[in-house]
Amino acid sequence: MSEERDVMEFDLLVVGAGPAGLSCAIHAKQLNPELNVCVLEKGATVGSHILAGAVIEPGPLEELLPNWKDNAPEVCVPVSRDEIRMMSAQGSFKFPIVPPQMNNHGNYIVSLSSLTQKMAEAAEELGVEIYPGFPARMPLYNEAGEVIGVRTGDMGVDKDGNPKDGYTPGMDLHAKLTVFAEGARGSCSKQLVAKYGLDAQADPQTYGIGIKELWQLPPGRTEPGLVMHTMGWPLDNKTYGGSFVYHLEDDKLAIGFVVGLDYEDPHLEPFEKFQEFKNHPHIKPLLEGGEIVSYGARAIVEGGWQSLPKMEMPGAALIGCGAGTLNVPKIKGVHQAIRSGMEIAKQFHEKASAEGFDARVREGAIGAELKRVRNIRPSFHWGLWVGLMISGLETLFAGLLPYTLRNRADHSALKKVSTHKPLTPGNRDLPPRDRLSAVYFAATEHDEDQPVHLRVEDTNICVTRCAEEYDNPCTRFCPAKVYEMVEVDGAKQLQINAANCVHCKTCDIKDPYQIINWVTPEGGAGPNYQLM
Amino acid sequence: MKVLVPIKRAVDYNVRVRVKNDGSGVELNGVKMSVNPFDEIANEEALRLKEKGVVTEVVVATIGVAKAEDQLRSELARGADRAIHVVADQDIQPLQAARILKKLVEDEGIDLVLMGKQAIDDDANQTGQMLATLLGWPQATFASKVEIEGQTARVDREIDAGIETLEVDLPAVITADLRLNEPRFIKLPDIMKAKRKPLDKRELGDFDIDVPTLEVTETRPPSGREPGRMVKDVDELIATLKDKGLV
Ligand SMILES: Cc1cc2nc3c(=O)[nH]c(=O)nc-3n(C[C@H](O)[C@H](O)[C@H](O)COP(=O)(O)OP(=O)(O)OC[C@H]3O[C@@H](n4cnc5c(N)ncnc54)[C@H](O)[C@@H]3O)c2cc1C
Ligand code: SF4
């Protein structure tokens, strides 16, 4: 459809109202109230697509909004105690000491979706224009090949791509600088990395999938402020990952599980591992009799220093988890995302362009924090025990040992189905029963009459090579059961239940043939996370 | 012709509503709030009438908390001309809402009220009817089609037996059903423009809402379903059904 599109001009355009994007918008206005700043967000409201643990380091937030606690997020509990456990099938072993990167003294457990709502309020008070329900569909370029802005998605297109009654074409937003803050595996960011070769000097980016549930428990069971992490069971020693269990106020509990997407076994189902974990004798008594309030999943960026792409290009910059500034051993990305947002705002204020931003990040606090811990996550390629050993050494020497371990792309780690025995399902009887009943608690919504936003380039591969080589792992790694192999007239074919998608981006990352392309659906579609 | 479109800030229809642990109501903490969907439809209908030249001005009004301004702004962005916000922190029941709306109708010289048939939070389905009665105006509820010619409105309503068509003299109260129309998408520049459209704030104290009210004594979630049981084969299924006296 080629029609005249409305154009709007801004000084600064931010894609994504996560902690990174909002910090950028807020700080830009703090530095220069005259600026015309616009933030686009694909979720129906700010925070509706945001999911994290989340234990945050408050330093950078305090610097950005010194009074943030006056308008505190709905969940905001100071950490009272840390616990780390190594799990086995029946028991668990509590680490006598908490390694420094896992020590959360002085940190807060918050709902990140709620925190971003509060940050959005602060931004609007400063005069930032925030538009939830308007995804950036694609970057726009000028003839010189510079980024000049983005085009928002069309509304009211039917599933075959034809305009419906209320058809409303997306519009073009132009800006002096466009900042992409889309979080892990951003759909515009992916195009930009490819177009400008931003990853030429970096290792491939790597990810994990995090699945989370919020529970309401019977009174008196929680210890508000307790932060527990586990390693080991139900994952084998070759698979990176573990759980987080955060005790909130009002008898609420945030519980989640992260699996490194460099896992090898094509049979693995991250959702099932999480459910097995919940049924461990140490965890089950906590949950039994409670009820699940919210469910969701999101990719988490794990590549760290080695995988950090170049964060600038003509006319634009990448910030936060869209670039990959998260500190993996700490499993914390919020403070780094906020820093990167403030940094690009300073850069724009001083230089009016992105040129020099990349060096600024690497040489500043963000780079220093990433560099120090760069070898910890990749050391787990050799399994849990070697990983723990190297992590200990690296921590002892504060990252000063003169080597850097390499990262490889997650999709390339998957082994053929013939090399692995099928997994036996674990015992579990706590809800949710399966992925479909879980997804109900993500309150996700997509108009069914719109083009499928999970673009599979070649669905023949699904029934031929993929079925044989990997037994269609998409039917297992997706936490919302979007992909199913169904039989139609005696022949197998791929069915995509796009309406269930929770926008975690796992399929885009882990598909072994890299033929799944996640694109933005109609504005406002997707999960409606509450307190996640 | 001046139209009043009353709207309500309600829990979004996608939200899985949960009853609070102490049974004092439903959990609203951190819950997504939106314009009641039937009210969006009512506003859309008013805007279409304006585009047809039948209506000259569309006024949206809400009675609710300070944050309800977000919902007014969103209906202004859809196209309404101006807004009235009666700021109220307390729970407002249908008869109280109808009394407030009656005064707004009189103060503003309104010729037609187009409103949702009910709000999806309390599903009361009373305010439109009460307002019509208080005003002494005719009412056409559950509208699935509205046509206006001169001083009459012809309204289709979907009833069990098919479609019923009513003719009412204006001024009147018309309440919108789901199939009346599909509200348009809100455009980005219109959100920006909506920020500058007039929005009057009125205080609750200006209205006489001293009427007997209902008291909610308890809120309970529906009792859960018994967990299912897997049976091996048809024989076991029949045996189980017989056992339970179901066949
Ligand atoms: C399970 C899990 C647990 C975590 N736990 C913690 C923790 O305990 N502590 C911590 O510090 N960090 C934690 N993190 C990491 C943290 O969530 C991220 O580091 C942080 O959210 C990154 O912020 P961001 O702004 O870069 O991206 P995001 O928070 O992902 O925000 C991106 C925003 O952009 C929007 N968006 C994306 N694409 C588009 C588009 N094309 N158009 C419009 N909008 C778009 C998204 O909807 C989203 O709102 C966790 C992550 C996960 C998945
Ligand atoms: S379809 Fe892809 S992005 Fe959507 S929930 Fe499944 S894995 Fe995540």
Side-chain angles (χ1 to χ4, degrees):
Chain A
M1 277 163 265
S2 66
E3 64 252 271
E4 279 289 297
R5 287 173 190 266
D6 293 338
V7 180
M8 279 168 89
E9 304 272 349
F10 296 93
D11 295 316
L12 180 63
L13 174 62
V14 180
V15 176
L22 290 169
S23 304
C24 163
I26 290 171
H27 202 49
K29 279 295 234 185
Q30 288 170 335
L31 292 170
N32 179 2
E34 301 302 310
L35 281 187
N36 206 332
V37 182
C38 170
V39 180
L40 292 181
E41 167 56 47
K42 67 180 162 69
T45 56
V46 172
S48 61
H49 288 184
I50 301 267
L51 177 148
V55 175
I56 61 161
E57 274 185 34
L61 179 59
E62 237 139 55
E63 200 185 315
L64 179 71
L65 297 170
N67 301 323
W68 70 278
K69 271 186 245 161
D70 296 346
N71 189 16
E74 305 287 351
V75 173
C76 184
V77 193
V79 176
S80 58
R81 192 159 73 81
D82 272 295
E83 212 179 278
I84 301 182
R85 285 178 180 270
M86 178 64 75
M87 309 297 279
S88 64
Q90 285 307 316
S92 76
F93 163 78
K94 186 170 136 189
F95 280 46
I97 48 158
V98 174
Q101 64 266 17
M102 300 292 282
N103 185 326
N104 282 303
H105 185 75
N107 295 339
Y108 290 82
I109 315 174
V110 299
S111 148
L112 191 62
S113 52
S114 176
L115 176 64
T116 50
Q117 279 161 15
K118 304 293 174 181
M119 290 175 76
E121 283 170 23
E124 283 184 324
E125 266 167 38
L126 290 165
V128 175
E129 314 255 0
I130 305 180
Y131 297 107
F134 292 91
R137 181 55 191 245
M138 58 170 99
L140 296 172
Y141 311 98
N142 63 12
E143 269 147 33
E146 296 160 333
V147 177
I148 52 165
V150 300
R151 174 166 297 168
T152 64
D154 297 341
M155 305 288 284
V157 178
D158 76 8
K159 57 182 186 314
D160 303 315
N162 305 311
K164 293 190 279 192
D165 266 357
Y167 172 66
T168 309
M171 51 182 305
D172 290 350
L173 307 187
H174 293 173
K176 297 188 182 108
L177 179 71
T178 309
V179 174
F180 291 87
E182 297 177 290
R185 197 71 163 196
S187 50
C188 291
S189 309
K190 183 176 156 182
Q191 296 173 41
L192 295 168
V193 169
K195 181 176 165 84
Y196 294 101
L198 301 177
D199 57 353
Q201 311 293 322
D203 286 355
Q205 187 55 277
T206 69
Y207 303 87
I209 174 179
I211 310 181
K212 176 181 168 183
E213 291 172 3
L214 182 69
W215 279 66
Q216 181 73 49
L217 301 180
R221 241 183 235 178
T222 55
E223 179 190 328
L226 171 59
V227 162
M228 185 179 93
H229 291 104
T230 73
M231 291 181 278
W233 185 90
L235 297 177
D236 61 24
N237 288 342
K238 282 174 94 175
T239 310
Y240 182 80
S243 78
F244 58 91
V245 183
Y246 301 158
H247 292 236
L248 316 178
E249 277 156 359
D250 304 324
D251 302 303
K252 288 199 172 65
L253 186 87
I255 182 165
F257 204 83
V258 177
V259 178
L261 283 177
D262 59 347
Y263 70 80
E264 296 180 351
D265 185 351
H267 299 293
L268 186 97
E269 249 183 82
F271 175 83
E272 285 302 322
K273 289 294 163 196
F274 175 31
Q275 300 307 329
E276 269 179 59
F277 166 76
K278 278 165 50 192
N279 282 275
H280 185 276
H282 185 77
I283 307 297
K284 191 174 173 185
L286 193 60
L287 298 171
E288 240 170 351
E291 66 175 316
I292 172 172
V293 178
S294 275
Y295 168 86
R298 181 78 174 96
I300 180 165
V301 71
E302 291 190 343
W305 175 253
Q306 301 76 321
S307 298
L308 200 64
K310 193 165 174 206
M311 292 172 72
E312 68 183 68
M313 65 215 95
L318 299 181
I319 61 170
C321 281
T325 51
L326 178 135
N327 179 328
V328 195
K330 283 187 181 170
I331 19 169
K332 284 192 188 68
V334 175
H335 65 293
Q336 290 272 84
I338 293 176
R339 274 182 185 148
S340 72
M342 292 174 74
E343 209 55 48
I344 187 69
K346 287 194 187 101
Q347 164 81 23
F348 184 61
H349 185 64
E350 290 162 17
K351 305 265 159 49
S353 95
E355 212 180 319
F357 176 58
D358 187 66
R360 191 176 182 130
V361 170
R362 280 170 211 271
E363 287 153 20
I366 300 171
E369 178 164 338
L370 291 181
K371 207 167 173 187
R372 199 177 313 126
V373 299
R374 71 190 181 284
N375 287 327
I376 295 188
R377 171 64 180 91
S379 68
F380 285 83
H381 289 165
W382 294 295
L384 181 61
W385 301 111
V386 177
L388 284 175
M389 235 170 60
I390 297 184
S391 303
L393 282 174
E394 284 287 328
T395 307
L396 209 61
F397 289 99
L400 295 173
L401 299 177
Y403 63 91
T404 297
L405 301 174
R406 311 263 48 122
N407 287 330
R408 59 189 166 164
D410 294 321
H411 66 87
S412 66
L414 204 64
K415 293 257 165 70
K416 300 277 154 64
V417 75
S418 51
T419 61
H420 284 77
K421 282 201 283 295
L423 296 171
T424 36
N427 266 339
R428 60 187 192 80
D429 45 31
L430 287 172
R433 193 172 58 244
D434 52 22
R435 284 176 287 171
L436 285 186
S437 44
V439 144
Y440 173 82
F441 294 98
T444 192
E445 210 249 340
H446 295 79
D447 187 339
E448 304 253 355
D449 191 15
Q450 67 171 301
V452 170
H453 71 280
L454 302 141
R455 301 279 168 83
V456 182
E457 267 166 47
D458 177 3
T459 47
N460 275 328
I461 293 190
C462 308
V463 276
T464 54
R465 281 183 62 195
C466 190
E468 196 175 302
E469 294 180 338
Y470 302 105
D471 191 21
N472 303 111
C474 61
T475 61
R476 289 178 295 278
F477 57 57
C478 169
K481 206 166 188 217
V482 166
Y483 300 96
E484 276 184 289
M485 296 305 288
V486 294
E487 250 186 58
V488 176
D489 302 330
K492 286 230 156 166
Q493 70 175 51
L494 179 70
Q495 173 177 308
I496 305 177
N497 310 311
N500 285 348
C501 177
V502 295
H503 297 197
C504 74
K505 315 278 178 80
T506 301
C507 51
D508 194 295
I509 298 164
K510 188 63 177 173
D511 147 40
Y513 305 98
Q514 289 296 286
I515 52 171
I516 300 180
N517 201 21
W518 188 100
V519 300
T520 51
E522 201 165 78
N528 282 288
Y529 293 144
Q530 319 272 340
L531 301 181
M532 288 296 259
Chain B
M1 189 186 304
K2 248 174 143 179
V3 180
L4 179 72
V5 181
I7 66 165
K8 185 172 183 187
R9 171 182 166 95
V11 173
D12 187 84
Y13 72 100
N14 280 308
V15 169
R16 309 288 166 230
V17 176
R18 271 192 58 256
V19 172
K20 281 192 203 155
N21 266 11
D22 62 3
S24 63
V26 298
E27 186 68 75
L28 293 181
N29 206 350
V31 165
K32 180 180 168 200
M33 306 295 282
S34 301
V35 180
N36 173 41
F38 295 108
D39 306 347
E40 293 181 342
I41 296 172
N43 190 26
E44 173 68 30
E45 197 63 20
L47 297 172
R48 289 185 189 185
L49 289 171
K50 189 178 170 201
E51 282 155 5
K52 283 190 199 138
V54 180
V55 161
T56 49
E57 190 182 27
V58 179
V59 184
V60 287
T62 197
I63 310 161
V65 293
K67 281 291 250 173
E69 185 175 330
D70 295 351
Q71 280 67 44
L72 284 176
R73 292 284 174 208
S74 115
E75 292 313 305
L76 288 171
R78 204 184 301 280
D81 299 296
R82 59 191 181 86
I84 303 171
H85 186 177
V86 181
V87 185
D89 287 322
Q90 73 198 68
D91 182 44
I92 297 288
Q93 298 197 353
L95 185 54
Q96 296 174 314
R99 283 190 160 219
I100 294 169
L101 294 175
K102 173 173 184 269
K103 183 146 168 44
L104 292 184
V105 165
E106 291 163 353
D107 292 356
E108 301 288 331
I110 295 294
D111 308 291
L112 172 67
V113 178
L114 257 169
M115 58 198 289
K117 66 167 181 178
Q118 68 195 60
I120 60 168
D121 48 6
D122 56 17
D123 278 340
N125 187 337
Q126 294 168 355
T127 310
Q129 293 87 327
M130 288 175 170
L131 175 62
T133 312
L134 291 179
L135 286 164
W137 288 6
Q139 55 180 288
T141 54
F142 296 61
S144 60
K145 189 172 167 196
V146 175
E147 279 168 344
I148 293 187
E149 249 191 72
Q151 281 307 301
T152 39
R154 181 194 282 267
V155 175
D156 282 0
R157 339 171 52 226
E158 284 176 20
I159 55 171
D160 284 351
I163 300 216
E164 177 186 69
T165 306
L166 295 181
E167 257 184 26
V168 291
D169 290 336
L170 297 180
V173 176
I174 300 177
T175 73
D177 209 338
L178 196 63
R179 266 187 282 273
L180 180 57
N181 60 49
E182 212 174 295
R184 69 196 64 189
F185 296 111
I186 294 174
K187 295 200 184 84
L188 205 149
D190 294 336
I191 299 178
M192 209 176 256
K193 278 185 216 138
K195 288 188 182 153
R196 288 185 287 271
K197 286 189 179 174
L199 188 151
D200 293 333
K201 292 217 190 271
R202 309 251 328 235
E203 280 172 33
L204 199 55
D206 296 349
F207 302 87
D208 173 19
I209 53 164
D210 189 15
V211 290
T213 53
L214 301 172
E215 187 193 336
V216 177
T217 52
E218 195 198 0
T219 310
R220 263 182 293 129
S223 49
R225 235 170 24 130
E226 291 270 307
R229 214 190 97 201
M230 296 299 272
V231 289
K232 276 201 301 293
D233 49 27
V234 180
D235 290 342
E236 193 185 334
L237 175 68
I238 294 172
T240 314
L241 288 176
K242 277 199 178 134
D243 207 36
K244 299 206 172 230
L246 293 170
V247 287

